[in-house]
Amino acid sequence: MTTVLGIEGTAWNLSAAIVDEDDVIAEVTETYRPKTGGIHPREAAQHHALYASDVIERLLREYQDKGYSPQNIDAIAFSQGPGLGACLRTVATSARALALLLDIPLVGVNHCIGHVEIGRWKTPAIDPVVLYVSGGNSQVLGHRAGKYRIFGETLDIGIGNALDKFARGAGLTHPGGPKVEEYARKATSYVKMPYVVKGMDFSFSGLSTAATDALKDNSLEDVCYSFQENAFAMLVEVTERALAHTGKSEVLLAGGVGANMRLREMLDVMCEDRGASFYVPEKRFMGDNGAMIAYTGLLMFDSGTTLPIESSHVDPSFRPDTVDVTWIADEQEVL
Ligand code: ATP
Ligand code: FE2
């Protein structure tokens, strides 16, 4: 049995977990909550630096209280990117220190792949098209020939950031996504908004601006509803085309925006129409969490991928399609 300790801290959530092949054994999270506005990168990094050792100590205590010994831990995994540079560096420093202290290997995990792998672990999905939608990221990806290929992605900002930015302009507190969802439920009519899909890519910044403008002549409820309808239809369109192009028969939803019930409903209808299976992990595994980094680290470690400390620099724009997926045999793909 392999055991890996993983640390996540690409943005607002500092979270560490210890997992083995079977389950999450222990997890401790400290969330940075901005007093005003959105995430301030420097403040978020300071938050992570302040809580890093406390989180690790509490995690190891929880692990020991359950009867395990830290000597069982085989590797230390950390989020190497993408994310906010200052946050990534803070987490990487803790991970290196811990790997040296316990004298075990380090594993650098791509955050986007972490979202995918925890979804494959915690749902029956085997070889899905993944819709990964969070604050900073929006991608449609899937495994093909040794890599997680990005079939489509945002040309500007992530859908979560677009929702948060609009919500902030409308006077709602951060994070705005859940509030937009609530207002949208009370809408009475649709307001025309931009719909931007270019090839397999999409864009949200124009939509966010148009929604802010539309507030002058329309109710907040109607604008929230129309924003969601357009943004989610764009995401579902590209996800559907990725299914058609790849011949895959499963869709997995990942990332914090995946909590949205309207998005789930639209994906569910599309999957039903195409005869595909639709999988959504438990909410605790959808937003950023330490378990996804620990588990992906475990898959990497078991397939022989570790990271020498001297080349363990972080990468704020780390793309998932540059990672060799050493833990999935190509034959496993359902073509
Ligand atoms: P990443 O580092 O992957 O970009 P993140 O830091 O944005 O992740 P997540 O927890 O994956 O963190 O996602 C947070 C985002 O999810 C925020 O933008 C928030 O507004 C959005 N969100 C949360 N709940 C909902 C919801 N019900 N509807 C829409 N958006 C939501
Ligand atoms: Fe994330």
Side-chain angles (χ1 to χ4, degrees), residues 8 10 111 115 132 134 137 255-256 286-288 292:
E8 158 60 30
T10 52
H111 176 92
H115 278 287
Y132 165 38
S134 65
N137 298 287
M286 292 204 91
D288 295 348
M292 71 187 202

Side-chain angles (χ1 to χ4, degrees), residues 1-6 16-28 58-70 72-74 118 121-122 284-285 290-292 294-295 298:
M1 188 76 93
T2 306
T3 303
V4 174
L5 186 158
I18 299 173
V19 308
D20 64 19
E21 272 98 349
D22 289 341
D23 215 344
V24 180
I25 304 168
E27 186 166 37
V28 174
R58 279 159 57 203
L59 178 73
L60 289 173
R61 210 175 313 132
E62 191 181 322
Y63 184 62
Q64 279 167 302
D65 287 349
K66 289 185 173 163
Y68 298 92
S69 152
N72 288 343
I73 301 172
D74 296 295
I118 194 123
W121 190 31
K122 292 295 176 184
R284 64 180 275 229
F285 297 126
M292 71 187 202
Y295 182 66
L298 182 149

Side-chain angles (χ1 to χ4, degrees), residues 31 51 63 100 121 140 160 187 217 230-231 261 264 270 285 292 295 333:
T31 304
Y51 286 102
Y63 184 62
L100 287 170
W121 190 31
V140 176
D217 305 313
N230 277 36
M261 297 313 281
R264 292 183 187 193
M270 181 275 283
F285 297 126
M292 71 187 202
Y295 182 66
E333 269 176 57

